[in-house]
Amino acid sequence: MTRKVKLVLELEVVLLPSPMELLPAEVILHIVTFLEVHDTVRLTLVSKPFYLICRDNELWRNISFEASPWESDRRSRRTLARAPIPIPDPRVLEIQRRAAALASSNSTQKTATGGAKEKGVKSTSPDPSTESQRLRALANWDPSYPNEKVDWYGEYIARHGPISTSWLQQPTIREGSTDETHEIRGMALHHSSNGSRVVAPLDDGSVCLWELGHGINSESSDNQRKGAIIGRSKAGLLSFSAGSDSDELYDLHPKTKTANTGVVECLSVDSVRNKAYFAVHKGLHEVDLNTLQISHYEKYPFLITAFSEVTFPTPLTVGSTHSLHLHDPRRSMNACWSDSSCTDRVDNVANFPASSRPKNDFYRLLSGDGFAPSFAPLFHPGPLAIHHVSSAGTSDASSGEIYVAGRFPSLLIYDRRSFPKLRNTIHSGARLCSLTSVPYPFRSLDNRDLTPQAVYQTKSKPGKTLVACGEYNGKGSLEIYGVSPEDNSSLAVPGSAQSLSYKNRVSASRSKLLSVATHGTRLVVSDGDGSIRWMERDGSTLVRRWNINQYEGSEKIGIFRSSSAEPHGDVARKLVPVNLGGTDAQADGDELLIWTGERIGVLAFKNRPQFGLEDWEERVETAEEKIKRREERIYGETMRRALEKQANEVRFVRGLGAGVRSL
């Protein structure tokens, strides 16, 4: 037998499909449903057809449901609701066992002689009532909505996979022979075709950029620098005197840098225009992210305490201690209140002569002039969170509502089209500090046992869901409000949005909740104890929890690794989800940015951190390492040539007509 004939026979054995692959995909998928999760994951490595079958979205939706705490609670409630099973006498059990054995032998004899089957024999087919109850429970648990794209494989990883944290490169400054670390005073995310970047102000008044990668046009070298600093402005760029006409200079002494800059956590990024907005005391700084220079400055009459998100061309909402303002980045605005007369005390305005009183909107607010001001006054000081929500049934944020929360008992609702008129209020009673929204209607906990058809009708209704968190009587408060078209149209009924609401003030957290965000089909919140909790969209069911002061340990639970606690005292003051796919669908391994007040971390559902300090340190390569790297390169080239030669031989044999035999 020649060498070429042997090669043909070996190729036929390799290329012949296995008997398993000849089965229909539906049959294979049904078999996969009986496997364990780790076996299903391993089966994806067999071949591409098995990979596509084992990554079926409906399969992982059912797996996520079976492993969810919601389903565990439902089974526990059903078990407790059942009547207790009495324990019979052992003698009675023996009589029942013998009677059953006698009946079984009689039925066997009748079947062998052609007799009719007894009617009392149980069927081995599954109980239809049990399957209908399971489908009903699955429909009530499913957190997704119609037309919402969900990657359930990625959802399962986010709900049950390992968690690791990678901390971004800490900015430092050289002071003598030591490096002094700067504190990070905020955090925002900037998206572009080249990838995602983290934008943050530092305590010395500078602006810093970090690379996150994952862009369409990002190169491999950029992804290798993930977490590293890629740009930093000069110190003192953000300061009190940025927009003044005086010659006040910025003090660069490290002991006074914090007091002179006044940088607070008021930051918003416009990814379309590559602009970032920072608040320093009463001033709004617009920074060009391409040049890291201030492109616009505007001064407000009061201390700025909150920013909304920026979605071009929607104006930015600026919240100060006593007023709300709309900042349109498309309009070149003059700082009309940059003069000292605009910032005088309220009790001095009444002493102005009638001819010398300043004719601006701030004066009209204080004097009660009939002219409609361009900003809204606040009767309770201290807004802490501002969130834009588009009108129900539309996706245009420019025609939506402005929700304001802070150190006052109610949520304030403004319509951008009728600003500064107050549209509505929602009473809360808590001190709320963070807001987010879900572009789908809210389902209350009262509707947890509906039919699948009723669930679909409830989810198909137009509406939005507003989520808020904060503190109530020293404990965490997670509040969810449904916003329907009826609420948007009823201007005269205050608090009408409370018809669909839920306030979790019992199991949310023992301490104040600091931040809330949407993460896939879940809600994620952080509290003052350093814990991060993922909740279902109902705000009541806990999916999982994790503490940022944990380190990777060797303890193993199930098929994933866990970690043990090591207290460091960090808390997650702000959470920002990173959607790597850039769509509504959750990407495989969605990440979460964490800001602790001093540093920024990337939380990912992976076994180990993605980057660390050693990835940013430039190290000199030794002579031995250079020789080893050269040998590896030569070996790689040799193997590449050998594989190319083997591929050419296979193509030659196929050209002779020796193909795979048909079955």
Side-chain angles (χ1 to χ4, degrees):
M1 186 179 295
T2 63
R3 179 175 178 273
K4 291 185 178 180
V5 176
K6 290 183 179 180
L7 181 60
V8 171
L9 294 178
E10 292 177 358
L11 287 174
E12 290 180 355
V13 174
V14 172
L15 297 177
L16 282 178
S18 63
M20 190 71 174
E21 292 181 347
L22 298 178
L23 294 175
E26 294 79 4
V27 177
I28 300 177
L29 181 61
H30 180 70
I31 297 174
V32 170
T33 56
F34 296 95
L35 300 179
E36 297 293 336
V37 176
H38 59 274
D39 295 330
T40 304
V41 175
R42 292 174 182 174
L43 194 58
T44 59
L45 305 176
V46 174
S47 62
K48 186 175 182 179
F50 276 98
Y51 173 83
L52 297 176
I53 293 174
C54 295
R55 288 291 296 269
D56 181 74
N57 212 34
E58 190 67 22
L59 171 66
W60 285 100
R61 174 173 171 263
N62 293 324
I63 294 176
S64 301
F65 166 68
E66 295 293 340
S68 64
W70 193 92
E71 173 64 7
S72 300
D73 295 342
R74 187 186 70 90
R75 293 175 179 174
S76 300
R77 291 193 302 266
R78 289 184 57 189
T79 303
L80 295 176
R82 294 175 180 173
I85 302 176
I87 302 177
D89 192 285
R91 293 172 295 182
V92 177
L93 290 177
E94 181 65 20
I95 295 174
Q96 292 178 353
R97 186 185 64 79
R98 292 184 178 181
L102 181 61
S104 176
S105 62
N106 293 336
S107 62
T108 303
Q109 293 176 1
K110 291 182 180 180
T111 303
T113 58
K117 294 183 179 180
E118 295 187 3
K119 297 182 180 181
V121 179
K122 295 184 179 180
S123 174
T124 57
S125 60
D127 188 4
S129 61
T130 304
E131 182 65 19
S132 63
Q133 291 177 1
R134 180 188 173 279
L135 295 177
R136 187 184 186 121
L138 175 60
N140 284 271
W141 164 82
D142 190 358
S144 62
Y145 283 79
N147 302 324
E148 182 183 9
K149 298 179 181 179
V150 179
D151 178 16
W152 282 106
Y153 178 74
E155 272 290 325
Y156 183 85
I157 294 176
R159 290 169 178 262
H160 306 280
I163 296 179
S164 63
T165 306
S166 308
W167 299 100
L168 302 185
Q169 183 180 4
Q170 197 74 5
T172 58
I173 184 174
R174 193 72 177 179
E175 294 290 341
S177 59
T178 60
D179 292 336
E180 183 181 357
T181 303
H182 286 293
E183 292 183 2
I184 302 174
R185 295 299 184 86
M187 176 184 64
L189 196 60
H190 174 261
H191 296 284
S192 66
S193 59
N194 294 325
S196 300
R197 298 176 179 179
V198 180
V199 184
L202 305 182
D203 57 358
D204 65 344
S206 61
V207 178
C208 192
L209 302 178
W210 289 266
E211 178 66 44
L212 284 184
H214 311 290
I216 301 176
N217 300 329
S218 59
E219 300 177 356
S220 59
S221 59
D222 296 333
N223 292 330
Q224 293 175 359
R225 293 279 296 172
K226 183 177 180 180
I229 296 176
I230 59 174
R232 183 176 173 183
S233 70
K234 64 177 182 180
L237 182 69
L238 308 176
S239 61
F240 292 150
S241 58
S244 63
D245 298 332
S246 61
D247 295 333
E248 180 184 355
L249 298 178
Y250 178 76
D251 188 3
L252 294 178
H253 196 275
K255 295 183 179 180
T256 59
K257 60 185 177 183
T258 303
N260 285 353
T261 58
V263 179
V264 296
E265 204 287 303
C266 286
L267 169 61
S268 189
V269 173
D270 185 355
S271 298
V272 177
R273 301 175 61 245
N274 292 328
K275 302 287 185 180
Y277 301 91
F278 302 88
V280 181
H281 198 60
K282 299 180 181 180
L284 184 149
H285 299 69
E286 180 183 298
V287 177
D288 190 342
L289 296 180
N290 296 323
T291 61
L292 293 180
Q293 297 293 330
I294 294 179
S295 58
H296 180 74
Y297 175 83
E298 187 172 348
K299 191 173 182 180
Y300 290 86
F302 302 109
L303 180 68
I304 300 176
T305 59
F307 276 166
S308 70
E309 63 275 9
V310 182
T311 306
F312 187 82
T314 304
L316 172 72
T317 304
V318 181
S320 64
T321 53
H322 297 283
S323 59
L324 290 177
H325 307 260
L326 293 182
H327 174 77
D328 193 347
R330 299 170 297 177
R331 186 161 52 97
S332 178
M333 301 177 61
N334 296 323
C336 63
W337 43 63
S338 59
D339 298 333
S340 59
S341 59
C342 296
T343 58
D344 288 342
R345 295 178 56 86
V346 176
D347 51 6
N348 294 334
V349 175
N351 299 326
F352 288 166
S355 59
S356 61
R357 289 179 180 177
K359 297 299 182 181
N360 51 48
D361 290 339
F362 180 53
Y363 166 74
R364 293 186 177 95
L365 169 65
L366 300 177
S367 61
D369 197 328
F371 181 79
S374 61
F375 57 90
L378 296 178
F379 299 99
H380 296 276
L384 299 177
I386 303 175
H387 185 65
H388 291 172
V389 178
S390 59
S391 299
T394 64
S395 58
D396 185 10
S398 61
S399 61
E401 285 72 40
I402 303 173
Y403 288 83
V404 183
R407 300 183 181 94
F408 30 82
S410 298
L411 281 165
L412 307 181
I413 307 176
Y414 295 88
D415 192 332
R416 191 175 293 102
R417 295 165 295 186
S418 60
F419 188 84
K421 181 181 179 181
L422 181 65
R423 183 190 185 99
N424 207 340
T425 61
I426 303 177
H427 180 73
S428 169
R431 299 179 61 178
L432 304 177
C433 59
S434 182
L435 296 173
T436 189
S437 62
V438 180
Y440 302 103
F442 172 61
R443 289 185 58 218
S444 62
L445 295 178
D446 300 333
N447 301 328
R448 300 184 66 173
D449 195 18
L450 301 177
T451 61
Q453 295 78 9
V455 172
Y456 180 81
Q457 293 176 0
T458 303
K459 292 182 177 181
S460 301
K461 294 180 180 179
K464 309 285 182 179
T465 301
L466 181 70
V467 186
C469 75
E471 176 259 340
Y472 181 80
N473 290 340
K475 298 182 65 176
S477 177
L478 179 62
E479 305 180 4
I480 303 178
Y481 301 95
V483 181
S484 61
E486 291 78 9
D487 298 324
N488 294 334
S489 59
S490 59
L491 304 181
V493 183
S496 60
Q498 289 183 282
S499 59
L500 290 176
S501 63
Y502 173 72
K503 300 177 182 178
N504 186 355
R505 295 173 177 174
V506 178
S507 61
S509 176
R510 296 177 299 177
S511 59
K512 176 182 177 180
L513 295 180
L514 304 177
S515 180
V516 61
T518 58
H519 198 204
T521 61
R522 294 147 286 118
L523 300 176
V524 56
V525 295
S526 61
D527 60 16
D529 294 333
S531 297
I532 298 177
R533 289 176 168 85
W534 285 267
M535 315 280 291
E536 297 287 5
R537 285 176 173 174
D538 58 9
S540 173
T541 307
L542 178 66
V543 176
R544 69 184 305 181
R545 70 178 66 186
W546 187 77
N547 196 286
I548 65 174
N549 300 313
Q550 293 178 346
Y551 65 94
E552 298 298 324
S554 59
E555 183 182 2
K556 189 174 182 180
I557 299 179
I559 63 173
F560 298 113
R561 300 180 66 87
S562 179
S563 56
S564 304
E566 182 184 3
H568 291 286
D570 288 338
V571 296
R573 296 180 57 180
K574 187 176 182 180
L575 303 174
V576 177
V578 183
N579 193 336
L580 306 182
T583 60
D584 295 336
Q586 182 191 10
D588 181 9
D590 256 359
E591 299 172 346
L592 191 69
L593 287 179
I594 304 172
W595 175 57
T596 65
E598 298 179 354
R599 55 180 181 167
I600 299 175
V602 180
L603 185 148
F605 302 100
K606 301 181 182 299
N607 289 315
R608 59 182 62 87
Q610 305 176 65
F611 49 84
L613 182 61
E614 62 278 359
D615 298 329
W616 308 311
E617 293 180 348
E618 295 184 359
R619 187 170 53 89
V620 180
E621 193 175 24
T622 61
E624 292 79 3
E625 291 175 345
K626 291 181 180 180
I627 295 174
K628 183 178 180 180
R629 182 165 57 85
R630 181 175 176 274
E631 292 177 352
E632 291 176 352
R633 186 179 71 254
I634 295 175
Y635 176 77
E637 294 177 354
T638 304
M639 291 298 298
R640 179 179 57 81
R641 288 193 297 267
L643 292 175
E644 289 179 354
K645 184 178 180 180
Q646 183 180 5
N648 293 332
E649 292 180 354
V650 173
R651 297 190 190 98
F652 175 76
V653 173
R654 288 179 178 176
L656 295 178
V660 181
R661 293 181 302 176
S662 60
L663 298 179

